[in-house]
């Protein structure tokens, strides 16, 4: 599926210590700090959502959902890990939820294909197709082996360090590596099933 205007920003949260400080103040109830935090993280949230969702509009909707979750649930950030670790979890969950919603909507209301809007397969993004296959594979993995999803999402999609993944999942590092290996193996098998 080709969608023009896919997020290409390479903006990251430039001042990580400042972001961490804003997060701590927001947790303590400082609403001005929360507002500043949301503005500071928005470009990174949109970019991260774009890792999951190939269409810019979908990524921006997921980013809005993620920012809303941050605003609503900032009090659940305990500060045991970095704020960015907690944030990427929120982003991953909101992106996957948006994908499920889009998939469900598509199944309920199949789109009428207008020949004038037919997508030329030569211009369809291979990356976009791969991301959609990955989201399908994650859904299947979650149904069949839910304990394998979080390590894969945190390490391969959110690009967190192994130690951060272990901390986030709450299992030893060796267990994380074992689950990650198994998750990757199963996802590759699902990709094989999809291309058969």
């Amino acid at each position: 599926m080709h969608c023009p205007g896919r997020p290409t920003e390479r903006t990251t949260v430039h001042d990580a210590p400042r972001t961490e400080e804003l997060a701590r103040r927001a947790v303590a109830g400082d609403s001005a700090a929360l507002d500043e935090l949301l503005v500071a993280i928005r470009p990174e949230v949109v970019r991260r959502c774009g890792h999951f969702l190939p269409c810019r509009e979908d990524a921006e909707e997921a980013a809005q959902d993620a920012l809303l979750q941050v605003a609503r649930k900032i009090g659940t950030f305990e500060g045991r890990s970095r704020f960015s670790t907690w944030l990427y979890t929120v982003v991953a969950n909101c992106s996957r939820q948006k994908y499920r919603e889009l998939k469900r909507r598509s199944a309920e209301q199949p789109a009428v294909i207008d020949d004038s809007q037919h997508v030329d397969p030569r211009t369809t993004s291979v990356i976009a197709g791969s991301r959609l296959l990955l989201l399908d594979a994650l859904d299947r993995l979650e149904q069949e082996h839910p304990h394998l999803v979080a390590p894969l999402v945190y390490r391969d999609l959110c690009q967190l360090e192994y130690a951060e993944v272990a901390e986030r999942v709450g299992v030893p590092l060796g267990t994380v590596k074992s689950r990650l290996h198994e998750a990757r193996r199963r996802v590759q098998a699902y990709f094989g099933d999809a291309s058969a």
Side-chain angles (χ1 to χ4, degrees):
M1 182 164 135
H2 174 69
C3 290
R6 185 176 125 36
T8 56
E9 299 115 355
R10 281 307 196 207
T11 308
T12 57
V13 179
H14 295 300
D15 189 356
R18 176 77 177 141
T19 302
E20 296 293 327
E21 174 60 26
L22 288 171
R24 280 191 293 276
R25 287 176 34 209
V27 168
D30 184 336
S31 60
L34 177 61
D35 291 344
E36 193 176 336
L37 177 67
L38 294 173
V39 169
I41 65 174
R42 187 182 190 289
E44 176 74 0
V45 170
V46 172
R47 186 179 74 80
R48 290 276 176 177
C49 288
H51 284 238
F52 291 89
L53 300 160
C55 294
R56 181 176 185 90
E57 295 81 10
D58 297 339
E60 287 181 347
E61 282 183 31
Q64 282 301 112
D65 292 344
L67 292 169
L68 186 59
Q69 287 297 319
V70 169
R72 286 183 177 161
K73 297 188 175 183
I74 191 70
T76 66
F77 172 58
E78 298 173 349
R80 288 182 294 150
S81 61
R82 293 182 305 165
F83 171 72
S84 59
T85 302
W86 182 83
L87 175 63
Y88 296 155
T89 304
V90 172
V91 167
N93 290 338
C94 287
S95 295
R96 291 178 62 218
Q97 184 59 40
K98 175 56 68 178
Y99 176 70
R100 286 187 196 113
E101 176 187 315
L102 293 167
K103 192 173 172 183
R104 186 173 51 249
R105 198 180 317 151
S106 173
E108 290 170 358
Q109 302 171 354
V112 176
I113 298 176
D114 178 357
D115 285 342
S116 68
Q117 295 182 355
H118 183 72
V119 176
D120 183 342
R122 292 169 298 177
T123 62
T124 301
S125 168
V126 172
I127 294 169
S130 298
R131 288 185 184 142
L132 296 178
L133 282 175
L134 176 60
L135 289 166
D136 280 338
L138 284 172
D139 275 350
R140 185 170 167 187
L141 186 65
E142 191 164 40
Q143 290 171 8
E144 297 174 5
H145 306 280
H147 66 287
L148 300 178
V149 175
L152 185 70
V153 168
Y154 293 147
R155 177 67 186 141
D156 289 0
L157 299 177
C158 296
Q159 300 173 343
L160 301 180
E161 297 297 324
Y162 286 104
E164 289 178 287
V165 175
E167 183 179 338
R168 194 73 191 141
V169 177
V171 299
L173 187 59
T175 304
V176 163
K177 290 182 177 182
S178 170
R179 288 182 183 179
L180 186 56
H181 174 75
E182 180 65 13
R184 287 172 177 160
R185 188 184 68 74
R186 290 186 180 278
V187 165
Q188 285 178 345
Y190 297 158
F191 281 166
D193 291 351
S195 62

